[in-house]
Amino acid sequence: VNNNGVVSFQAAVSQFTPNPFPLANGRAFITPFWGDVDNRNGGEIYYRQSTEPSLLQRATADINRYSPSLPFQAQWAFVATWDRVAFYGSRTSK
């Protein structure tokens, strides 16, 4: 989980500014919150895996609602939260 709103695989993604997809260098990552985030002036980043039944039910319902042709049943979920982080270049706004 990177500080910039990106969850990457195999290598960190340190750039703050989002680029259009696909990226030329082929880095593998997902971007749940790639919004020019910079937490050097505050804010917290949390992540966890969960098997909480209510969370799994919600994830299952959401995936099945938007992808009805792909039957899905969540067994676990990865939750990442960028809490009160500022945008790049910000001094006070969170």
Side-chain angles (χ1 to χ4, degrees), residues 45-57:
I45 300 167
Y46 306 101
Y47 59 92
R48 64 187 170 94
Q49 289 185 352
S50 177
T51 57
E52 180 184 329
S54 63
L55 179 62
L56 297 180
Q57 290 169 356

Side-chain angles (χ1 to χ4, degrees), residues 19-42:
N19 288 352
F21 293 110
L23 297 180
N25 62 9
R27 291 179 286 180
F29 59 89
I30 57 175
T31 58
F33 189 61
W34 199 10
D36 215 5
V37 174
D38 183 355
N39 69 323
R40 291 178 292 184
N41 290 328

Side-chain angles (χ1 to χ4, degrees), residues 1 6 8 16 18 24 31 38-40 42 48 51 53 72 75 84 86 91 94:
V1 175
V6 173
S8 61
F16 295 108
T31 58
D38 183 355
N39 69 323
R40 291 178 292 184
R48 64 187 170 94
T51 57
F72 177 79
Q75 303 298 309
R84 300 184 52 80
R91 297 199 195 310
K94 303 241 185 299

Side-chain angles (χ1 to χ4, degrees), residues 66-89:
Y66 297 108
S67 298
S69 63
L70 300 171
F72 177 79
Q73 177 69 45
Q75 303 298 309
W76 62 273
F78 182 82
V79 179
T81 304
W82 289 264
D83 185 41
R84 300 184 52 80
V85 293
F87 60 89
Y88 182 74

